[in-house]
Amino acid sequence: MEISGKSVFRGIAIGKLAIFKKTESRVKREHIRDVPAQLERFEQARETAKAQLRVLYEKALKEVGEVNAAIFEVHRMMLDDPDYTESVNSMIATQEINAEYAVAATGDNFSAMFAGMDDEYMKARAAEVKDISNRVIAVLQGESAGAPAAAEPVILLADDLAPSETVQLDKSRVLSFVTRHGSANSHTAILARTMNIPSLIGVDFPDDAAGKTGIVDGYKGLLLIDPPQETLDEYRARREEDEEKKRLLLELKGKENVTRDGRRIDIYANIGSVEDVALVLANDAGGVGLFRSEFLYLESEDYPSEEEQFAAYRKAAEMMSGKKVVIRTLDIGADKQAYYFGLDREDNPAMGYRAIRICLDRVDIFRIQLRAIYRASYYGTIAIMFPMIISVDEVRRIKEIIAGVKAELDAESLPYKDVELGVMIETPAAVMISAELAREVDFFSVGTNDLTQYTLAIDRQNPKLDGIYDPHHPAILKMLQMVADNGHAGGCWVGICGELGADTTLTEEFLRMGYDELSVSPSMVLRVRQRVRELG
């Protein structure tokens, strides 16, 4: 049997199939007399659930980096949401019901509310509210919100996998996972790619597949069940070829990113924490092309201080030993929420109050971050780039703030270096005024993920639109050429830091366009280097 799906990570997996079925906690409504005791039970369960999420966050941080671990911080903050906690407490107190039922009812109500919204980002919150509610219920009932387990290496089949379940997978016993639902841009899919597990979504596998032999073809997006021996032999040979290719990639360490005819390009890495610098060095990247500084805010219970930020930026600069570290200033908002910012719910958060718009509105927060970055610049080679830019006026306001920060540091005799300033090109507006922007900054870095969704008017988190979400769209490629041309004409170096930078089918095109730098996930650095060295 051969079933088609959508690949979220390429590769070949061969093994026994196992089906993971979630056990839904059955919650009964019970009338109680001791309301304070039930309120206390809920509070203790909520704190226990938050502690569990913190453990998951730390585990994910080590295995898949800060960017992908952030979902657990988001879940933890959702448990602190006053609307959520007040709903549970109110139901317990006014209806005199048990904590389990109040949590379940609140989870259902909030989930239905989010699911009914027009905005796809808010719709995605529906499943997350259910997830955190189920975790609290499991604690109240003395159960563990565990992950799928297997006694031997298996290909795991599931309706869907929550990020918490995915990150807890014992990778030594999971060869691949295949789900009926999910999006190629979901948190789980991103985790799968980072964990290097061949994976498929949208596969309508039969319920009697458990125990049968299966093959996951992450190149063609196929699940094969009980294949004939000839097919098994063919795929085993292909799997061996894949392993040999991985070994050959390691031989590229220390080699230059130069084509056969002498064209050179820098290959940097995207990271979300200081801990990720180890991955940058291990994969021989030339520098850090995107340090996502917002995760210093997402992992904190309050605004991180100047000293906390300075320590993180300094450590990254020192670990990179003079190699460039491009720090993106705070990009909070949209799908990255820190409750202490007090951000309002928005109908369209992806295009709302976020990133540089918050920084230029709440200048005190921005100044603290800039002071920390400039102080850290003394200890290495740091550049700064600003997200969601749509006008020259924004850049000029930023430079005025920076001038004030430098004057403060001078007055306090705190050393710093001059750093390169750049903007992220992730809006069509920034593309169209890139010639004017190039006269204001030192470099451009194209965020292809947002640029694609804004240009095509497609929410990249909406699985219904996966079929038409096309980062290879001619409009995107024309915009990339325009940015490169205008940047170079204005004296800027130009790079790409979105996922498209790791698309080796376009590497030759990027070189032809004249891009100076590609910044990719650490695990893709050597693969892109290999492609560059094959060209020319």
Side-chain angles (χ1 to χ4, degrees), residues 149-377:
E152 60 180 316
V154 296
I155 294 170
L156 195 66
L157 310 179
D159 280 341
D160 201 358
L161 285 170
S164 57
E165 292 160 345
T166 308
V167 80
Q168 291 180 89
L169 293 175
D170 180 350
K171 292 196 290 293
S172 68
R173 294 184 177 181
V174 178
L175 304 169
S176 166
F177 71 73
V178 176
T179 64
R180 287 189 173 115
H181 309 296
S183 162
N185 293 302
S186 68
H187 293 290
T188 302
I190 293 169
L191 283 168
R193 287 192 286 267
T194 307
M195 293 163 70
N196 296 332
I197 299 176
S199 306
L200 306 176
I201 60 172
V203 178
D204 189 17
F205 55 83
D207 291 331
D208 64 352
K212 297 179 180 178
T213 298
I215 298 174
V216 171
D217 184 338
Y219 297 98
K220 295 182 180 178
L222 295 176
L223 171 66
L224 291 81
I225 299 176
D226 269 349
Q229 188 62 45
E230 181 181 352
T231 303
L232 271 173
D233 292 341
E234 176 190 336
Y235 271 98
R236 283 181 179 133
R238 287 181 57 189
R239 185 177 60 182
E240 284 301 312
E241 290 176 9
D242 276 1
E243 293 302 318
E244 180 61 23
K245 287 178 181 178
K246 290 177 184 177
R247 287 190 287 271
L248 289 174
L249 281 177
L250 294 177
E251 296 179 7
L252 290 169
K253 283 191 174 183
K255 302 291 178 64
E256 292 188 329
N257 311 309
V258 180
T259 64
R260 291 172 180 170
D261 58 0
R263 289 176 294 168
R264 190 182 186 287
I265 192 167
D266 288 323
I267 302 177
Y268 288 1
N270 301 332
I271 65 171
S273 73
V274 174
E275 288 78 9
D276 291 344
V277 174
L279 295 173
V280 177
L281 297 173
N283 287 279
D284 199 33
V288 174
L290 170 60
F291 184 117
R292 299 176 175 94
S293 68
E294 58 271 14
F295 293 99
L296 288 168
Y297 296 78
L298 290 174
E299 68 177 6
S300 177
E301 298 292 339
D302 202 349
Y303 298 101
S305 68
E306 179 181 326
E307 291 304 318
E308 289 172 326
Q309 294 189 63
F310 165 62
Y313 305 143
R314 174 179 173 174
K315 186 175 181 181
E318 288 178 333
M319 288 177 71
M320 289 303 294
S321 302
K323 291 182 178 179
K324 189 177 293 183
V325 178
V326 180
I327 299 174
R328 180 177 69 187
T329 57
L330 176 63
D331 188 8
I332 208 80
D335 60 340
K336 290 168 285 190
Q337 297 283 334
Y339 73 94
Y340 55 86
F341 272 75
L343 302 180
D344 296 330
R345 287 199 177 98
E346 297 179 291
D347 290 337
N348 196 346
M351 292 192 282
Y353 186 60
R354 59 175 290 198
I356 201 64
R357 297 165 184 178
I358 292 177
C359 290
L360 291 178
D361 187 43
R362 304 185 184 185
V363 179
D364 288 346
I365 298 172
F366 194 32
R367 291 174 71 88
I368 288 171
Q369 181 174 37
L370 290 171
R371 281 178 58 93
I373 295 173
Y374 267 92
R375 287 174 58 196
S377 70

Side-chain angles (χ1 to χ4, degrees), residues 105-125:
T106 294
D108 288 343
N109 292 341
F110 275 61
S111 180
M113 177 184 70
F114 284 128
M117 293 183 178
D118 293 331
D119 181 72
E120 290 299 328
Y121 166 79
M122 300 308 292
K123 282 185 178 180
R125 304 286 76 75

Side-chain angles (χ1 to χ4, degrees), residues 1 13-14 31-32 41 74 116 163 174 186 190 202 280 352 367 391 481:
M1 180 184 293
I14 304 171
H31 178 76
I32 52 94
R41 285 185 69 225
V74 172
V174 178
S186 68
I190 293 169
V280 177
R367 291 174 71 88
S391 71
Q481 185 68 71

Side-chain angles (χ1 to χ4, degrees), residues 85 110 124 141 430 508:
T85 56
F110 275 61
Q141 295 182 335
E508 185 172 15

